[in-house]
Amino acid sequence: MSKGKNKMSFEVLENETIDQCLERIKKAGYIPVRRTEKPIFKEVKTGGKVDYEPAGRQIVFEAKRVED
């Protein structure tokens, strides 16, 4: 039996639902064990002041290989 990576990270891609990402993880032979979300901000300049507004979020699943 060949040894592959035991852990991998899968990011939910743009125009992809969480369910589609989970299906992609399953097809790759992994099972998700942790979900993390990071906010994405954009700079907005108003006058001489720079503000940061939420622009989205990045969702990453940490997954481990399914044992056969």
Side-chain angles (χ1 to χ4, degrees):
M1 184 172 140
S2 67
K3 278 253 184 191
K5 290 184 178 180
N6 288 334
K7 285 188 177 180
M8 277 189 70
S9 294
F10 293 86
E11 181 179 345
V12 177
L13 303 174
E14 207 171 307
N15 299 322
E16 180 182 41
T17 65
I18 292 174
D19 286 335
Q20 290 170 334
C21 182
L22 292 173
E23 187 64 31
R24 184 166 47 98
I25 293 170
K26 185 177 176 182
K27 285 181 183 177
Y30 289 84
I31 186 166
V33 292
R34 180 183 298 166
R35 171 184 165 162
T36 57
E37 292 187 31
K38 298 177 187 175
I40 299 172
F41 294 96
K42 65 179 179 179
E43 285 186 357
V44 177
K45 295 181 182 178
T46 53
K49 186 178 177 187
V50 177
D51 290 325
Y52 296 95
E53 292 182 355
R57 64 182 175 185
Q58 176 189 30
I59 302 172
V60 178
F61 287 98
E62 185 178 306
K64 68 177 185 176
R65 183 163 288 284
V66 176
E67 301 295 326
D68 291 329

